């Protein structure tokens, strides 16, 4: 019986967490059907099956972190009956698996091939992988039948269900086993669509306690809202990113892992390696705001979300032409400064799993409309938690937009491997002296942090002033 081993996700990563199973024991899968969602230290990744057949066992429960090469799912002959997790049956001779092509998951597109090509292989270094001790006394066999608990925002809700960060209203309800200790676990399942699970999490409602009224015992949105209204002990609705504490709990602990762990280490390494200098400038962006409104009315920008961030991104690419050191990097090992002829523009995105900085490859070569479309795609993918490792590597400069949170500015930390980062603050109507008179103008603050080893004050100041000049008058971009 073929066992699908956790493949090598690339980027030097050696382990991953099983976030959500997309199949259950007894399901029939085809080659390249998505069977599981995992979280690496870089991103969420959906893994397709390298085999066709019937799922006979889920070998790793959700929430567990395992090493590359660890068997995670068993898939038998398509015609063979599925063995139940509690009473394993003798599996018939497994059908010969279709040869699987191993790929670098940091760049899945590189594999190429037609729709029937196998995308994921067995995973390398099977003999080197060592399975981590399981949390608690539960065995994979008994938890396998508890199929897909979905996860929301990378946070565990003690004893309760988990929901996905990306939900669609028409998704099929997913059965979930109650998260109770192994020795008291029963066959009670909860049926609810992902949007309903998210609502339950936000309201602090345990789905096991809700009476279903939907088809086939499915819990509906009205069921959750009604239960919440009638349960005075339930906590008030929390924001989607806030930890939910159960009644009586005063603290909640969450493991540091995945994207958040990688982000934290990267920020520490950057802060204590690069000598940071931060400069600030306050800018009248009234003309930029008018320009943004004009772009929104243009037919060719109809399907692009236009914001001041787009103009700033273009200004950054243009200003780098006069100060190439901003787009350079310090190579400590080689004792060299690396000057880049391309701009891979990173846009920092705060996600429930931590800060990620995907970048737009060759952003300096894109026209304004294409740059806007790229920013839209990049931010949506990041917020959905679907950014792939390849999209976060090779960055050369980063913009962090704290203005969306109503914050005026900050002192950003340089993304590792880069030399500068620009913080974009909120745009506010403020009194401003314009042409000798005090008027209400659109004002923002820019803060540039740079690596003082290769960017001195003169170069950092010139770059920041050039960006500010373009924001003050977008027509000045013609001079660059």
């Amino acid at each position: 019986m073929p066992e699908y081993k956790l493949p090598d996700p690339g980027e030097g990563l050696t382990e991953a967490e099983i976030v959500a199973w997309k199949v259950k024991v007894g399901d029939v899968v085809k080659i390249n059907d998505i069977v599981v969602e995992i979280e690496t230290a870089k991103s969420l990744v959906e893994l397709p099956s390298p085999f066709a057949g019937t799922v006979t066992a889920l070998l790793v429960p959700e929430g567990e972190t395992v090493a590359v090469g660890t068997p995670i799912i068993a898939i038998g002959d398509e015609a063979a009956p599925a063995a139940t997790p509690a009473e394993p049956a003798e599996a018939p001779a497994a059908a010969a698996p279709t040869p699987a092509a191993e790929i670098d998951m940091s760049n899945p597109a590189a594999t190429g091939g037609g729709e029937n090509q196998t995308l994921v292989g067995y995973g390398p270094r099977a003999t080197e992988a060592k399975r981590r001790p399981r949390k608690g006394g539960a065995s994979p066999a008994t938890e396998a039948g508890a199929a897909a608990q979905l996860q929301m925002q990378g946070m565990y809700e003690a004893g309760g269900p988990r929901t996905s960060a990306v939900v669609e209203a028409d998704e099929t309800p997913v059965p979930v086993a109650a998260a109770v200790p192994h020795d008291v676990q029963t066959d009670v399942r909860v049926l609810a669509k992902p949007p309903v699970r998210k609502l339950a999490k936000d309201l602090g409602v345990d789905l096991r306690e809700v009476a279903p009224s939907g088809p086939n015992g499915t819990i509906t949105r009205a069921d959750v809202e009604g239960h919440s209204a009638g349960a005075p002990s339930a906590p008030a609705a929390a924001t989607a990113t806030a930890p939910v504490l159960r009644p009586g709990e005063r603290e909640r602990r969450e493991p540091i892992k995945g994207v958040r762990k990688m982000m934290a280490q990267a920020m520490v390494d950057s802060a204590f390696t690069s000598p940071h200098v931060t400069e600030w400038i306050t800018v009248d962006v009234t003309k930029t705001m008018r320009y943004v409104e004009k772009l929104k009315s243009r037919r060719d920008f109809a399907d692009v979300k236009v914001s001041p961030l787009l103009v700033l991104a273009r200004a950054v690419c243009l200003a780098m032409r006069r100060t190439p050191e901003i787009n350079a990097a310090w190579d400590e090992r080689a004792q060299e400064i690396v000057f880049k002829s391309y701009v891979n523009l990173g846009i920092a995105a705060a996600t429930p799993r931590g800060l990620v900085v995907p970048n737009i490859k060759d952003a300096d070569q894109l026209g304004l409309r294409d740059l806007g479309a790229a920013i839209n795609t990049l931010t949506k993918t990041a917020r959905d938690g679907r950014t792939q490792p390849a999209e976060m590597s090779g960055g050369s400069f980063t913009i962090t937009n704290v203005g969306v949170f109503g914050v005026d500015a900050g002192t950003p930390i340089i993304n590792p491997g880069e030399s500068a980062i620009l913080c974009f603050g909120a745009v506010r109507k403020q009194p401003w002296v314009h042409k000798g008179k005090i008027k209400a103008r659109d004002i923002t603050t820019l803060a540039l942090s740079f690596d003082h080893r290769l960017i001195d004050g003169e170069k950092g100041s010139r770059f920041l002033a050039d960006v500010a000049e373009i924001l003050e008058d977008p027509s000045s971009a013609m001079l660059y």
Side-chain angles (χ1 to χ4, degrees):
M1 179 184 305
E3 289 182 340
Y4 178 18
K5 299 175 182 178
L6 181 67
D8 183 357
E11 298 287 323
L13 304 175
T14 60
E15 62 182 17
E17 178 192 350
I18 302 299
V19 173
W21 284 107
K22 303 300 184 181
V23 295
K24 61 181 181 296
V25 173
D27 283 355
V28 176
V29 297
K30 301 186 295 294
I31 291 175
N32 290 338
D33 280 355
I34 300 299
V35 294
V36 66
E37 182 179 56
I38 66 171
E39 180 184 8
T40 70
K42 297 279 186 155
S43 64
L44 287 176
V45 179
E46 290 182 332
L47 299 184
S49 172
F51 309 119
T54 302
V55 177
T56 58
L58 305 181
L59 303 177
V60 180
E62 291 174 350
E64 181 168 329
T65 299
V66 294
V68 167
T70 301
I72 58 175
I73 184 174
I75 301 175
D77 191 303
E78 189 168 348
T84 61
E87 299 178 2
E90 291 187 5
T98 303
E102 190 175 303
I103 67 165
D104 178 358
M105 282 166 46
S106 66
N107 186 14
T111 303
E115 62 180 4
N116 294 324
Q117 182 177 5
T118 301
L119 296 181
V120 177
Y122 292 65
R125 302 185 299 277
T127 57
E128 299 177 11
K130 295 183 180 180
R131 193 182 189 90
R132 288 191 170 193
R134 294 193 171 278
K135 302 172 183 177
S139 67
T142 54
E143 291 195 9
Q149 286 182 332
L150 299 178
Q151 182 168 347
M152 175 68 184
Q153 303 174 344
M155 300 187 295
Y156 292 95
E157 180 181 349
R162 301 155 70 190
T163 54
S164 171
V166 183
V167 294
E168 300 292 341
D170 57 353
E171 289 188 27
T172 305
V174 180
V176 175
V180 296
H182 168 60
D183 56 351
V184 297
Q185 194 167 11
T186 69
D187 285 336
V188 176
R189 307 285 179 89
V190 177
L191 287 174
K193 292 182 178 180
V196 177
R197 297 184 184 284
K198 179 181 183 302
L199 175 64
K201 182 179 180 66
D202 292 348
L203 297 178
V205 172
D206 188 339
L207 287 177
R208 292 171 295 169
E209 301 174 357
V210 179
S213 64
N216 302 317
T218 300
I219 296 175
T220 66
R221 176 179 291 271
D223 296 335
V224 174
E225 291 173 342
H227 181 87
S228 176
S233 60
T239 60
T241 57
V244 178
L245 297 180
R246 291 184 171 277
E249 289 184 337
R250 292 172 59 85
E251 294 181 344
R252 177 181 176 277
R253 289 178 176 261
E254 179 181 312
I256 301 172
K257 57 184 178 180
V259 174
R260 191 175 301 277
K261 182 176 182 179
M262 178 67 77
M263 171 206 65
Q265 186 59 52
M267 292 298 98
V268 170
D269 291 345
S270 176
F272 292 98
T273 300
S274 304
H276 284 54
V277 172
T278 304
E279 294 186 345
W280 310 63
I281 189 168
T282 304
V283 189
D284 179 356
V285 293
T286 304
K287 290 184 178 180
T288 285
M289 300 305 290
R290 293 172 183 168
Y291 182 54
V292 167
E293 291 305 314
K294 288 182 179 179
L295 290 178
K296 289 179 180 179
S297 65
R298 290 182 61 91
R299 184 182 308 171
D300 47 343
F301 280 83
D303 58 345
V304 176
K305 181 181 179 181
V306 181
S307 72
L309 177 62
L310 171 58
V311 182
L312 176 63
R314 184 59 180 161
V316 163
C317 293
L318 294 174
M320 282 180 182
R321 297 176 181 177
R322 295 173 61 168
T323 314
E325 291 83 0
I326 295 292
N327 196 44
W330 182 278
D331 189 335
E332 180 68 26
R333 180 174 298 179
Q335 287 295 291
E336 296 174 340
I337 296 175
V338 182
F339 290 90
K340 304 170 184 177
S341 61
Y342 57 88
V343 179
N344 288 349
L345 182 62
I347 306 293
T351 75
R353 296 177 178 275
L355 179 70
V356 298
V357 188
N359 60 76
I360 301 169
K361 310 299 183 187
D362 297 312
D364 56 320
Q365 301 300 315
L366 299 177
L368 199 61
R369 186 200 174 283
D370 290 338
L371 181 59
I375 292 175
N376 293 172
T377 301
L378 175 147
T379 53
K380 182 181 186 305
T381 301
R383 288 167 183 163
D384 289 346
R386 305 295 170 181
T387 303
Q388 298 304 303
E391 298 172 304
M392 291 186 283
S393 63
S396 57
F397 184 88
T398 295
I399 297 174
T400 177
N401 184 8
V402 300
V404 295
F405 305 109
V407 176
D408 292 328
T411 53
I413 296 178
I414 302 168
N415 201 33
E418 301 175 10
S419 297
I421 180 173
L422 184 65
C423 179
F424 184 27
V427 177
R428 303 182 188 279
K429 286 286 186 183
Q430 296 183 28
W432 191 261
V433 177
H434 178 68
K435 295 181 178 180
K437 297 181 180 180
I438 298 177
K439 298 181 180 180
R441 305 284 287 180
D442 292 308
I443 307 299
T444 191
T445 300
L446 303 177
L448 177 72
S449 290
F450 53 88
D451 186 340
H452 216 333
R453 293 176 297 179
L454 72 155
I455 302 173
D456 58 30
E458 183 267 337
K459 291 182 173 63
S461 300
R462 180 201 301 166
F463 172 79
L464 190 58
D466 286 345
V467 172
E469 181 184 27
I470 297 174
L471 290 184
E472 286 179 346
D473 183 6
S475 66
S476 64
M478 299 294 292
L479 303 175
Y480 289 80

